[in-house]
Every structure is written in structure tokens, then in C-alpha cells.
Amino acid sequence: MKPTSACNLVTILGPTASGKTCLAVKLAQELSGEIISADSRQVFRRMDIGTGKDLHEYGAIPYHLIDVLEPGQECSLFTFQRLFLQAFEGITARGQLPILCGGTGLYLDAALRGYRMVEVPENLQLRAKLADKSDAELIEILMKLVPDQHNRTDLTDRSRTIRAIEIASYQPDDQAEQEPFPAISPLVLGIRWERTELRRRITQRLRQRLEAGMLDEIQQLHAGGVGWERLDYYGLEYRYGGMFLRGELNRNDLFQKLNAAIHDFAKRQETWFRRMERNGVVIHWLDGAEDPVTESLQIVNSNIVSLA
């Protein structure tokens, strides 16, 4: 069944632990949809607990951009957009409704803003100029180029800072800029929770992940050849879990520090969503404590005239 109105992509966003996957699955069941993940870490195989894949929730619903790369690889923004467009076009061709679901702001922007990215090549001349710069000087250069840093790992790893400067400094040629972008008309739904309740949900989910074997997962990834520095890059759970496994944190400090860091991350996500709105993205906000499924179906059905 193919959407016949202006809306041809439903997007579900929200901070971590807000219930995005559950809502996406229920909408996919009701609307003959397939889910495209907009999560920068769920693309990696065998990184299940720490990334919160919750694959059991999907049931028979097809999903995309999950388990597509090996741990240790890097998924650039260009790579994500290319994979997203492939999935979007494939789902649409099958007459299904694409449902984009996730909380990674850069990935959401790459899908919703309507510009096709180009793969940024290495700039050896620029890298030579940056080689003698201190870490602090590199961060200062990057912050001038991109003042609003959503991906904080670009500020904590020298090689990533240099690559981020390279990308921010890149000037594509006219042919790349003129490459057409598919006609995507998104309907964006956001899940909101009262601050205290969201904090409770985050803390509860962290406990569940630890009980489910998150630390064993991290240890197995490292034993399989993924270095500690690379695990740090894959996010808070892997960074703090690695510190615990190396003996740098005790169990109590692991929980307290990781829990606080995830709360801070959720605040940064919400800041990013507000910026999206300032940039013209219309987000229909749903109250997570009420009935977001019914409310979202009403919004979707009012924007999709009919399904053929």
C-alpha cells in the first residue's frame, strides 16, 4: 500500500528511553510500514544491549540500517544517508510506508533536510597544516567551523577532530551539489516526557541493560578485536563499561557516572530537536505518558489521504 498524499515518510524522534521503537512498531503494524533506524550505533552487529536494539519488539515488522556493519568500522554521515535513501526507495517501491525512527540528530537531519551529501575525501594538505596543532587548538578550529557540536566524541579523539575539521572545511563541486534528492515529504512525530519521569525511565533502563549482560557484551567485543579506544567512540555505555572492565571504576561509580552521563545526553538530544524546529522542521509532539499511539495515528491519518 502506497501513500498517495504529500506525506511519504513518518519520522519518530525523541530522547533516549522515550519509547520510540515501541511506537514505531505499533505504527508500522497499523500502517503497513517498515522501519528505518536513525541510530548511529545500532548499525553495528553484536552491539545489541549497549545500543538498546530491542529486536524482540519488532516481531514480523521489517527493519533497516540495523546490523549492517561490523564492530570496529565507522559509519560516516555520508554512509548513513546513502543507506537511508536505498532503504527509503526500496520500501516505497514495495508500496509500504517508510518509518524513520531514532534519536541521532545528525542522522535525522541527513534524512529530513533534503540535501544529498557527498563523500569527503582526505585533504592531505589540510592534514599537514593541522599536524602540529595541539588538541586544544584543533578543538578551537572545529568549534569556529561548527559551533553547535552534537557529536561530542569529535572533541575527545584527535583523529576524529581532524576528520571533523576536514568535513566542515570541504567545498563540494557544483556537480555534487546539483545531484537530485528524492522527493521526501516527512511527517515528524516527537515523544515527550516530563523531566522527572524521563530520568526514571533512563535509570531503569540502565539497570536492565546491566542485568541483561551489557558488560559481558563489551568484554566480548574487546576480546574479538575491538580496541578500547574504538569502544569509547561507540558511546557512553561502551566508554564507561570499558573503564569498569579495565579497573578504572568500581561498580557503584560505573552506575552513577554512566547514569548521569546518559541524563546529560538526553538533554543534548532535546536541545538538538529544538534546533531542528528553529530550522523549520515541524515536530508534532506527543505526550509519552498519555496515549501516543492513538494520538500519532490521528495525526498520520489526517496527513495521509488514502492508501492505494
Coordinates of all heavy atoms in Angstrom, one line a residue, residues 61-105:
I61 N 7.8 -7.1 11.8 CA 8.0 -5.8 11.1 C 9.4 -5.7 10.5 O 10.4 -5.9 11.3 CB 7.7 -4.6 12.1 CG1 6.3 -4.7 12.6 CG2 8.0 -3.3 11.3 CD1 5.2 -4.5 11.5
P62 N 9.5 -5.5 9.2 CA 10.9 -5.4 8.6 C 11.6 -4.1 9.2 O 10.9 -3.1 9.4 CB 10.6 -5.3 7.1 CG 9.2 -5.8 6.9 CD 8.4 -5.5 8.2
Y63 N 12.9 -4.2 9.4 CA 13.6 -3.1 9.8 C 14.9 -3.0 9.0 O 15.4 -4.0 8.4 CB 14.0 -3.2 11.3 CG 14.7 -4.4 11.7 CD1 16.1 -4.5 11.6 CD2 14.0 -5.4 12.3 CE1 16.7 -5.7 12.0 CE2 14.6 -6.6 12.7 CZ 16.0 -6.7 12.6 OH 16.6 -7.8 13.0
H64 N 15.5 -1.8 8.9 CA 16.6 -1.5 8.1 C 17.6 -0.6 8.8 O 17.3 0.1 9.8 CB 16.1 -0.7 6.8 CG 15.0 -1.4 6.0 ND1 15.3 -2.2 5.0 CD2 13.7 -1.4 6.2 CE1 14.1 -2.7 4.5 NE2 13.2 -2.2 5.2
L65 N 18.9 -0.7 8.4 CA 20.0 0.0 9.0 C 20.3 -0.4 10.4 O 20.8 0.4 11.2 CB 19.8 1.5 8.9 CG 20.2 2.2 7.5 CD1 19.4 1.6 6.4 CD2 20.1 3.7 7.6
I66 N 20.0 -1.7 10.7 CA 20.4 -2.3 11.9 C 21.2 -3.5 11.6 O 20.9 -4.3 10.7 CB 19.2 -2.7 12.8 CG1 18.4 -1.4 13.3 CG2 19.6 -3.5 14.0 CD1 17.2 -1.8 14.1
D67 N 22.4 -3.7 12.2 CA 23.3 -4.8 12.0 C 23.8 -4.9 10.5 O 23.7 -5.9 9.9 CB 22.6 -6.2 12.3 CG 22.3 -6.4 13.8 OD1 23.0 -5.7 14.6 OD2 21.5 -7.2 14.2
V68 N 24.2 -3.7 10.0 CA 24.7 -3.7 8.7 C 26.2 -3.5 8.6 O 26.8 -3.7 7.5 CB 24.0 -2.5 7.9 CG1 22.6 -2.8 7.8 CG2 24.3 -1.2 8.5
L69 N 26.9 -3.2 9.7 CA 28.4 -3.1 9.7 C 29.0 -3.9 10.8 O 28.3 -4.2 11.8 CB 28.8 -1.6 9.9 CG 28.3 -0.6 8.8 CD1 28.7 0.8 9.2 CD2 29.0 -1.0 7.5
E70 N 30.3 -4.2 10.7 CA 31.0 -4.9 11.7 C 31.5 -3.9 12.8 O 31.9 -2.8 12.5 CB 32.2 -5.7 11.1 CG 31.8 -6.9 10.4 CD 31.1 -8.0 11.2 OE1 31.6 -8.2 12.4 OE2 30.1 -8.5 10.8
P71 N 31.5 -4.3 14.1 CA 32.2 -3.5 15.1 C 33.6 -3.2 14.7 O 34.3 -4.0 14.2 CB 32.1 -4.4 16.3 CG 31.0 -5.4 16.1 CD 31.0 -5.6 14.6
G72 N 34.0 -2.0 14.9 CA 35.3 -1.5 14.5 C 35.3 -0.6 13.3 O 36.2 0.2 13.1
Q73 N 34.2 -0.8 12.5 CA 34.1 0.1 11.3 C 33.5 1.4 11.8 O 33.0 1.6 12.9 CB 33.2 -0.6 10.3 CG 33.7 -1.8 9.7 CD 32.8 -2.4 8.6 OE1 31.8 -3.1 8.9 NE2 33.1 -2.2 7.3
E74 N 33.5 2.4 10.8 CA 33.0 3.7 11.1 C 31.8 3.9 10.1 O 31.9 3.7 8.9 CB 34.0 4.8 11.0 CG 33.5 6.1 11.3 CD 34.6 7.2 11.4 OE1 35.8 6.8 11.4 OE2 34.3 8.4 11.4
C75 N 30.7 4.4 10.6 CA 29.6 4.8 9.8 C 29.5 6.3 9.7 O 29.0 7.0 10.6 CB 28.3 4.2 10.4 SG 26.8 4.5 9.3
S76 N 30.0 6.8 8.6 CA 30.0 8.2 8.3 C 28.6 8.7 8.1 O 27.7 7.9 7.7 CB 30.9 8.6 7.2 OG 30.4 8.2 6.0
L77 N 28.4 10.0 8.1 CA 27.1 10.6 7.8 C 26.8 10.4 6.4 O 25.6 10.1 6.0 CB 27.1 12.1 8.1 CG 25.8 12.8 8.4 CD1 25.0 12.1 9.5 CD2 26.0 14.3 8.7
F78 N 27.8 10.4 5.5 CA 27.5 10.1 4.1 C 27.1 8.7 3.9 O 26.1 8.4 3.2 CB 28.8 10.3 3.3 CG 28.8 9.8 1.9 CD1 28.2 10.5 0.9 CD2 29.3 8.6 1.6 CE1 28.1 10.0 -0.4 CE2 29.3 8.1 0.3 CZ 28.7 8.8 -0.7
T79 N 27.7 7.7 4.6 CA 27.3 6.3 4.5 C 25.9 6.2 5.0 O 25.1 5.5 4.4 CB 28.2 5.5 5.4 OG1 29.6 5.6 4.9 CG2 27.8 4.0 5.3
F80 N 25.5 6.8 6.1 CA 24.2 6.7 6.6 C 23.2 7.2 5.6 O 22.1 6.5 5.3 CB 23.9 7.4 7.9 CG 22.5 7.6 8.3 CD1 21.8 6.5 8.8 CD2 21.8 8.8 8.0 CE1 20.4 6.6 9.1 CE2 20.4 8.9 8.3 CZ 19.8 7.8 8.8
Q81 N 23.4 8.4 5.0 CA 22.4 8.9 4.1 C 22.3 8.0 2.9 O 21.2 7.8 2.4 CB 22.8 10.3 3.7 CG 21.8 11.0 2.8 CD 22.2 12.4 2.3 OE1 23.1 12.4 1.4 NE2 21.6 13.4 2.8
R82 N 23.4 7.5 2.4 CA 23.3 6.6 1.2 C 22.5 5.4 1.6 O 21.6 4.9 0.8 CB 24.7 6.2 0.8 CG 24.7 5.2 -0.3 CD 26.2 4.9 -0.8 NE 27.0 4.5 0.3 CZ 27.1 3.3 0.8 NH1 26.3 2.3 0.3 NH2 27.9 3.0 1.7
L83 N 22.7 4.8 2.7 CA 21.9 3.6 3.1 C 20.4 3.9 3.4 O 19.5 3.2 3.1 CB 22.5 3.0 4.4 CG 23.9 2.4 4.2 CD1 24.5 1.9 5.6 CD2 23.9 1.2 3.3
F84 N 20.2 5.1 4.0 CA 18.8 5.6 4.2 C 18.1 5.7 2.9 O 16.9 5.2 2.8 CB 18.8 6.9 5.0 CG 17.5 7.6 4.9 CD1 16.4 7.2 5.6 CD2 17.3 8.7 4.0 CE1 15.2 7.8 5.5 CE2 16.1 9.3 3.9 CZ 15.0 8.8 4.7
L85 N 18.7 6.4 1.9 CA 18.0 6.6 0.7 C 17.7 5.3 -0.1 O 16.7 5.1 -0.7 CB 18.8 7.5 -0.2 CG 18.9 9.0 0.3 CD1 19.9 9.8 -0.6 CD2 17.6 9.6 0.3
Q86 N 18.6 4.3 0.0 CA 18.4 3.0 -0.5 C 17.2 2.3 0.1 O 16.3 1.8 -0.6 CB 19.6 2.1 -0.4 CG 20.8 2.5 -1.3 CD 22.1 1.7 -1.0 OE1 22.1 0.9 -0.1 NE2 23.1 1.9 -1.8
A87 N 17.2 2.4 1.5 CA 16.1 1.8 2.2 C 14.7 2.5 1.9 O 13.7 1.8 1.6 CB 16.3 1.8 3.7
F88 N 14.8 3.8 1.9 CA 13.5 4.6 1.6 C 13.0 4.2 0.2 O 11.8 4.0 0.1 CB 13.9 6.1 1.7 CG 12.7 7.0 1.2 CD1 11.7 7.3 2.1 CD2 12.6 7.4 -0.1 CE1 10.6 8.1 1.7 CE2 11.6 8.2 -0.5 CZ 10.6 8.6 0.4
E89 N 13.8 4.2 -0.8 CA 13.4 3.9 -2.1 C 12.9 2.5 -2.3 O 11.9 2.2 -3.0 CB 14.5 4.2 -3.1 CG 14.8 5.7 -3.2 CD 16.1 6.1 -4.0 OE1 16.8 5.1 -4.3 OE2 16.3 7.3 -4.3
G90 N 13.5 1.6 -1.6 CA 13.1 0.2 -1.7 C 11.7 0.0 -1.0 O 10.9 -0.7 -1.5
I91 N 11.6 0.6 0.2 CA 10.3 0.4 0.9 C 9.2 1.0 0.1 O 8.1 0.5 -0.1 CB 10.4 1.1 2.3 CG1 11.4 0.4 3.2 CG2 9.0 1.1 3.0 CD1 11.8 1.1 4.4
T92 N 9.4 2.2 -0.5 CA 8.4 2.9 -1.3 C 8.0 2.1 -2.5 O 6.8 2.0 -2.9 CB 8.9 4.3 -1.7 OG1 9.2 5.1 -0.5 CG2 7.8 5.1 -2.4
A93 N 9.0 1.5 -3.1 CA 8.8 0.7 -4.3 C 7.9 -0.5 -4.0 O 7.2 -1.0 -4.9 CB 10.1 0.3 -5.0
R94 N 8.0 -1.0 -2.8 CA 7.2 -2.2 -2.4 C 5.8 -1.7 -2.0 O 5.0 -2.6 -1.6 CB 7.9 -2.9 -1.2 CG 9.1 -3.7 -1.6 CD 9.6 -4.6 -0.5 NE 10.2 -3.8 0.6 CZ 11.4 -3.4 0.6 NH1 12.3 -3.6 -0.4 NH2 11.9 -2.7 1.7
G95 N 5.5 -0.4 -2.0 CA 4.2 0.0 -1.6 C 4.0 0.1 -0.1 O 2.8 0.2 0.3
Q96 N 5.1 0.1 0.6 CA 5.0 0.2 2.1 C 5.3 1.6 2.5 O 5.8 2.5 1.7 CB 5.9 -0.8 2.8 CG 5.7 -2.2 2.4 CD 4.3 -2.7 2.9 OE1 3.3 -2.7 2.2 NE2 4.3 -3.2 4.1
L97 N 5.0 2.0 3.8 CA 5.3 3.3 4.3 C 6.6 3.3 5.1 O 6.7 2.5 6.1 CB 4.1 3.7 5.2 CG 4.3 5.1 5.9 CD1 4.3 6.2 4.9 CD2 3.2 5.3 7.0
P98 N 7.6 4.1 4.7 CA 8.8 4.1 5.5 C 8.6 4.9 6.8 O 8.0 5.9 6.8 CB 9.8 4.9 4.6 CG 9.1 4.9 3.2 CD 7.7 4.8 3.5
I99 N 9.1 4.3 7.9 CA 9.0 4.9 9.2 C 10.4 5.1 9.7 O 11.1 4.1 10.1 CB 8.1 4.1 10.2 CG1 6.7 4.0 9.6 CG2 8.1 4.7 11.5 CD1 5.8 3.1 10.4
L100 N 10.9 6.3 9.8 CA 12.3 6.6 10.3 C 12.2 6.8 11.8 O 11.4 7.5 12.3 CB 12.8 7.8 9.6 CG 14.2 8.3 10.0 CD1 15.3 7.3 9.5 CD2 14.5 9.7 9.4
C101 N 13.0 6.1 12.5 CA 12.9 6.1 14.0 C 14.3 6.2 14.6 O 15.2 5.3 14.3 CB 12.2 4.8 14.4 SG 12.2 4.6 16.2
G102 N 14.5 7.2 15.4 CA 15.8 7.3 16.1 C 16.0 8.6 16.8 O 15.2 9.5 16.7
G103 N 17.1 8.7 17.5 CA 17.4 10.0 18.2 C 18.8 10.6 17.9 O 19.2 11.5 18.5
T104 N 19.5 10.1 16.8 CA 20.7 10.7 16.4 C 20.5 11.9 15.5 O 20.1 11.8 14.4 CB 21.6 9.7 15.7 OG1 21.9 8.6 16.6 CG2 23.0 10.3 15.3
G105 N 20.7 13.1 16.1 CA 20.3 14.3 15.4 C 20.9 14.5 14.0 O 20.2 14.9 13.1

